[in-house]
Amino acid sequence: MLTDWYRNIEFAHTWVLGALLLMPILIYEYIRRNKKQQASMLVTTTYFVRITKNLRVSLRHLPFVLRCLALICLILALARPRIKFTETENEGEGIDIVLCFDISGSMTEKDFDPNRLEAAKQVASSFVSNRPGDEIGIVIFSNLSFTLCPLTSDHNALLNQVKNIQSGYLQDEGTAIGSGIATSVDRLRYSKVKSKIIILLTDGVDFGGTIPPDMALQMAKYYGIKIYTIGVGSEKEVDEVVDSPLGPVVQHKTLQYNETLLKKLADETGGQYFHAIDKSALQKIYGSINQLEKSKIEVKTYNRYTDKFLPLLVAAVIYILIEVLLRYTVFRKFP
């Protein structure tokens, strides 16, 4: 297809393209010679001479144009244009991972820069980039849970989905940790790989939802799924500026954090509990998980090429044939 010429096109012999630099010289020489011939035909009585503008006169430069096009096509064909296709082949066994994000209102607290959720998204994106060969999915939850992206090896599509995660995406407020885990387990239970893990990122305060965390924990244990829990934030007193009918006012509140639940989820499934108090700590945690859960997989990359010089070669031959045909018909010179 025509679009193939603009997708991953390259030349096997790029040095041949240097011959294209001869084209301006040929064109310049043709123009110079053409002007010289016209000047030699001028006579003093040209005022009464009328040049008949027939087809031959109008198309007198066409043979040269065809020759130039043929030469350009021939040079491009000799440079051997081809389309490059990159194929990957995975050998070994990867790990299936579900990133389970808490997107409740508490994840917008600004004890992280710029807030808990945005910091988590940035670090999670880096984690995904360091897991080639693994299939990764995304589950989000507040009072409800939702599979934002099923397990996939297309990490570019996955990273785009991570960027789109926003607090309030699911409308209903709450922090249904049990529902989030249950949905993540459902994404992994049919997986054929031996190692399946959930990375749960939340402040650990569970309220709302239809599935209790203990029930979701039993589901994970039944299917042999590890849960790595990352507790975000801490239980502390903070001051927050809020709008009121009288203008901005400072409101004192207590941030909640449930470490006990997160430790239990990790310990009973063979995972590990981490506590992140800032973005730097969060980066180290993902780095630790990356070391703990290593894929036994080797990714091999192969390049396949499809030659595209034949259309150019055919075009060059056609241009030459047309030029020859014109020279022996329309532009034929009689002695």
Side-chain angles (χ1 to χ4, degrees), residues 10 20 29 34 84 116 126 129 150 158 164-165 230 238 242 245 260-261 263 283 297 307 325 327 334:
E10 65 174 35
L20 291 173
E29 183 63 21
N34 192 58
K84 178 180 178 181
R116 293 176 176 180
S126 177
S129 300
L158 188 77
N164 294 330
I165 298 174
I230 302 176
V238 296
V242 296
T260 303
L261 174 61
K263 282 185 174 180
Q283 290 173 327
I297 192 166
D307 286 319
L325 182 64
R327 286 193 179 279
F334 296 94

Side-chain angles (χ1 to χ4, degrees), residues 239-257:
D239 292 327
E240 182 181 28
V241 178
V242 296
D243 293 326
S244 72
L246 300 176
V249 296
V250 178
Q251 182 179 2
H252 189 73
K253 68 176 183 179
T254 302
L255 298 180
Q256 294 181 309
Y257 182 74

Side-chain angles (χ1 to χ4, degrees), residues 95-101 128 134-140 147-153 155 158 161-162 184 187-188 197-199:
I95 298 172
D96 284 354
I97 303 169
V98 170
L99 302 176
C100 189
F101 284 92
V128 169
D134 290 335
E135 291 203 340
I136 304 176
I138 302 172
V139 169
I140 56 176
T147 302
L148 188 63
C149 182
L151 290 172
T152 179
S153 58
H155 290 182
L158 188 77
Q161 293 289 356
V162 172
S184 301
R187 295 295 92 194
L188 290 168
I197 70 172
I198 296 170
I199 301 177

Side-chain angles (χ1 to χ4, degrees), residues 314-327:
V314 171
V317 172
I318 291 173
Y319 289 139
I320 292 171
L321 289 175
I322 295 174
E323 184 200 355
V324 171
L325 182 64
L326 289 174
R327 286 193 179 279

Side-chain angles (χ1 to χ4, degrees), residues 52-292:
T52 304
K53 290 191 175 182
N54 55 24
L55 183 63
R56 180 173 179 174
V57 174
S58 300
L59 301 179
R60 64 187 183 278
H61 300 301
L62 184 57
F64 177 73
V65 172
L66 291 171
R67 192 183 313 157
C68 288
L69 290 174
L71 188 57
I72 290 172
C73 288
L74 188 59
I75 292 171
L76 292 176
L78 289 173
R80 194 181 168 191
R82 60 188 185 179
I83 296 173
K84 178 180 178 181
F85 298 94
T86 301
E87 298 177 345
T88 58
E89 181 179 299
N90 298 336
E91 294 183 357
E93 188 173 281
I95 298 172
D96 284 354
I97 303 169
V98 170
L99 302 176
C100 189
F101 284 92
D102 179 353
I103 62 167
S104 61
S106 60
M107 292 297 289
T108 61
E109 296 292 347
K110 300 185 183 299
D111 49 346
F112 282 63
D113 182 29
N115 62 44
R116 293 176 176 180
L117 183 57
E118 289 302 317
K121 286 165 54 178
Q122 293 169 14
V123 178
S125 296
S126 177
F127 175 79
V128 169
S129 300
N130 290 322
R131 305 293 303 193
D134 290 335
E135 291 203 340
I136 304 176
I138 302 172
V139 169
I140 56 176
F141 68 92
S142 54
N143 189 45
L144 302 171
S145 61
F146 176 73
T147 302
L148 188 63
C149 182
L151 290 172
T152 179
S153 58
D154 186 351
H155 290 182
N156 288 328
L158 188 77
L159 291 172
N160 286 331
Q161 293 289 356
V162 172
K163 291 178 184 177
N164 294 330
I165 298 174
Q166 299 292 334
S167 179
Y169 187 91
L170 297 177
Q171 302 286 327
D172 296 335
E173 271 303 315
T175 309
I177 293 177
S179 296
I181 295 174
T183 302
S184 301
V185 169
D186 190 54
R187 295 295 92 194
L188 290 168
R189 62 175 176 153
Y190 296 114
S191 172
K192 302 297 183 183
V193 302
K194 292 181 180 179
S195 187
K196 298 170 281 189
I197 70 172
I198 296 170
I199 301 177
L200 173 67
L201 193 139
T202 178
D203 58 17
V205 180
D206 178 76
F207 64 95
T210 57
I211 302 177
D214 285 342
M215 182 182 294
L217 171 61
Q218 296 306 315
M219 292 169 62
K221 290 168 67 176
Y222 179 80
Y223 289 106
I225 300 170
K226 296 180 185 179
I227 302 177
Y228 285 87
T229 57
I230 302 176
V232 180
S234 57
E235 192 170 315
K236 61 182 179 180
E237 305 290 326
V238 296
D239 292 327
E240 182 181 28
V241 178
V242 296
D243 293 326
S244 72
L246 300 176
V249 296
V250 178
Q251 182 179 2
H252 189 73
K253 68 176 183 179
T254 302
L255 298 180
Q256 294 181 309
Y257 182 74
N258 187 347
E259 184 178 66
T260 303
L261 174 61
L262 298 182
K263 282 185 174 180
K264 180 180 179 181
L265 292 171
D267 292 343
E268 294 194 19
T269 58
Q272 196 164 330
Y273 162 73
F274 300 93
H275 185 197
I277 57 174
D278 55 34
K279 185 177 177 180
S280 176
L282 194 57
Q283 290 173 327
K284 292 178 181 178
I285 289 167
Y286 271 105
S288 297
I289 297 174
N290 201 30
Q291 292 299 316
L292 289 168

